[in-house]
Amino acid sequence: MALPPTFLDELRLRTPLPGLIGRRTRLTKAGRQWKGCCPFHNEKSPSFYVYDEHFHCFGCGAHGDAFAFLMRSEGASFMEAVERLATEAGMEVPKPTPQARERERRARDLQDVMGAAESSYARRLRQPEGAEALSYLRGRGLSDETIARFGLGWSGAGRGALLAELREEGIEAPQLVEAGLMQAREEGRLTDLFFNRVMFPIRDRRGRTISFGGRILGDGQPKYVNGPETSLFSKRRSLYALDLAREAVFRGAALVVVEGYMDVIALHQAGFGGAVAPLGTALTAEQLAELWRVSAEPVLCFDGDAAGARAAGRAAEVALPLLTPEKSLRFATLPSGEDPDSLIRRDGPRGMQAVLDAAQPMGEALFGLIAGPSLPEKPEARALIRNRLMAAAGAIPDKALSAEYRRVLLDRFFAQSRRPGLKAPPRHARPVPDEGKVREGRAAILLALCLRHPHLLPEVEEPLAMLDFPEGRLRQARDAVLAWLPSAERLDSAELLAHLANSDVAVDVLRRPDLPPGAQPDATPAEALEAFWQFFGFLRGESELVEDLRLAAVQLTETADAGAQTRVIRLAAALDALRRGEAEEPAEGA
């Protein structure tokens, strides 16, 4: 039995070719593709390229998909290759049962029904009954070549007209119902789903028609109607024009997601062949997965109004749990009142290109989507926004990427928080300190604390070592202190200073006039420890402290260790001290 095409398509999608072929020959990244020496003939210069769904050797001509690779490299039969890849992908090969044969036959039948319907609609567009629809499309600036390329058509005005025409090809009403082209009304009467509408074929990623969308002429509602869910068509998994966009992206075009059929078609005609659109719904996780199979960083292009901002926010919310270091998004915003179709007609392709060139990376756009154009005045409102920023970063499963988003979002938040609502500097505002000098001063104070009170070192050795100390003398002195600790007989300040006798930096930091009370010789151990964690927090930064505290809490939960509990307490204190000090601009060197 021939296997269902839908099963084979899904198996191909679940079998990354670079991983499969990389077991046989070493591959290196070459743009969006991979290349290596061909495993099928001896060569010294790589001429073997691996793409998303196929491989090709420009030396010997070997070409094919994952099944072909196993058949050629291991001598497997087609079914052996399918069974092996299905096992690795966690899929079950359909059994040759009567029910499976019937499903396969019906799927083939539905494909034939869709093809016949598309031809029927396209013919009607060129007949007298379709004159108004054809005039509408040409009035929107579409060429005959574009109309033909997208298979646009006219449904006809009469109900039952499609069935009457397709019966001549042996297609009956139950098939049209199953294909989503007819539906039952009152008393079981069947009627066409589409009438008096311009027809837009919806195709799968391989170019096979799986459903239709229809736009009414005039002011009727709903303006657009999509076909229902069928065994061929899943709205949440499909993207309009993905079959055409895949080829364009392969040749270098940007993958751009817009909102409607006409936007996509106008973009393709203007040279933006990577345009696609969801089908009347918000972008779904399944559609994002389809997009990332084509491009690592698609551009989501939304209208510049409140509805566009809401759509962008929903898309970001769906995308966050799916982000990886290799998969992200960019966000482009159209001028207010414009969509891609109207912008191209007004400003031409250059106007649209300018919008795409200004697209923001995900992290930058995310801050604006959550915080808006400016932070509010009220502390409670700012705290709410900060919590939302933290939650957004926390939704990313990759820990390193999540930490980077947290750092970027909070850095921008605090940069805006320092002067909320100010449109100009105050008359007697002090100059903004040099951040490098501020950081160097805090590092010097932290070092002074360790020199005065080396009894702190066993508890703070690990956090002291992880800090990104300024390059130069301060870092060298810090490293020397850490190197002294394992061999020290007594944790005494005099002995530590004697060990650093050749380092003038120790003398310099202890003479600083801005040392806090905790760095004085007569400070209590508690005062010294509190000062250490306060300045550790200033140097570490809030986003890193938050992540440190989270990991420490996880360790405490797993081990119930007293040291882990102490670490949680100290990090929480450092974070609290940092947040209490955020409202003030630090003095230079303090």
Side-chain angles (χ1 to χ4, degrees), residues 330-463:
R330 286 188 294 150
F331 289 76
T333 303
L334 291 157
S336 181
E338 299 285 353
D339 56 35
D341 183 22
S342 66
L343 181 63
I344 289 171
R345 283 192 282 170
R346 190 189 74 179
D347 295 341
R350 287 185 180 181
M352 188 66 207
Q353 188 61 56
V355 169
L356 298 181
D357 290 342
Q360 294 180 314
M362 177 81 174
E364 187 176 340
L366 187 61
F367 184 90
L369 291 172
I370 294 174
S374 61
L375 293 179
E377 294 277 352
K378 293 178 61 177
E380 295 84 357
R382 289 203 303 275
L384 179 61
I385 287 174
R386 187 166 78 177
N387 289 339
R388 288 174 178 170
L389 293 171
M390 295 285 289
I396 302 172
D398 185 282
K399 288 184 172 58
L401 185 60
S402 176
E404 285 299 313
Y405 264 75
R406 187 179 298 110
R407 179 184 63 79
V408 168
L409 293 172
L410 290 179
D411 283 352
R412 188 167 173 186
F413 176 85
F414 293 129
Q416 290 197 14
S417 293
R418 292 190 183 101
R419 288 171 292 277
L422 293 181
K423 296 191 173 19
R427 286 182 63 187
H428 302 293
R430 55 185 172 153
V432 177
D434 182 284
E435 290 189 9
K437 290 184 178 180
V438 170
R439 186 169 183 80
E440 186 175 322
R442 288 172 172 171
I445 291 173
L446 200 67
L447 182 60
L449 283 161
C450 296
L451 295 176
R452 287 289 190 206
H453 305 284
H455 58 82
L456 302 177
L457 290 173
E459 180 174 341
V460 304
E461 177 185 9
E462 181 183 349

Side-chain angles (χ1 to χ4, degrees), residues 110 114 175-183 193-194 211 227-228 230:
L110 286 188
M114 287 297 181
Q175 293 171 288
L176 294 177
V177 172
E178 189 175 2
L181 298 173
M182 296 190 76
Q183 57 187 345
L193 178 66
F194 301 102
S211 189
T230 68

Side-chain angles (χ1 to χ4, degrees), residues 524-574:
T524 66
E527 290 173 334
L529 190 61
E530 181 181 358
F532 175 91
W533 284 106
Q534 179 183 8
F535 282 88
F536 171 84
F538 283 135
L539 283 169
R540 183 70 171 148
E542 173 156 358
S543 57
E544 287 79 5
L545 274 179
V546 169
E547 181 66 10
D548 294 342
L549 181 57
R550 186 187 70 80
L551 294 175
V554 171
Q555 183 183 14
L556 175 60
T557 302
E558 294 175 348
T559 65
D561 179 66
Q565 183 179 23
T566 300
R567 184 171 177 80
V568 168
I569 294 171
R570 300 303 186 199
L571 287 169

Side-chain angles (χ1 to χ4, degrees), residues 42-64:
N42 294 324
E43 62 177 4
K44 296 181 179 179
S45 299
S47 62
F48 183 82
Y49 281 75
V50 181
Y51 305 92
D52 287 340
E53 296 182 352
H54 71 279
F55 63 87
H56 183 81
C57 178
F58 291 92
C60 69
H63 182 92

Side-chain angles (χ1 to χ4, degrees), residues 259-288:
E259 295 190 29
Y261 297 127
M262 289 303 300
D263 292 327
V264 169
I265 296 172
L267 283 170
H268 277 254
Q269 183 168 277
F272 301 93
V276 299
L279 300 166
T281 62
L283 205 60
T284 66
E286 292 85 352
Q287 288 167 339
L288 281 170

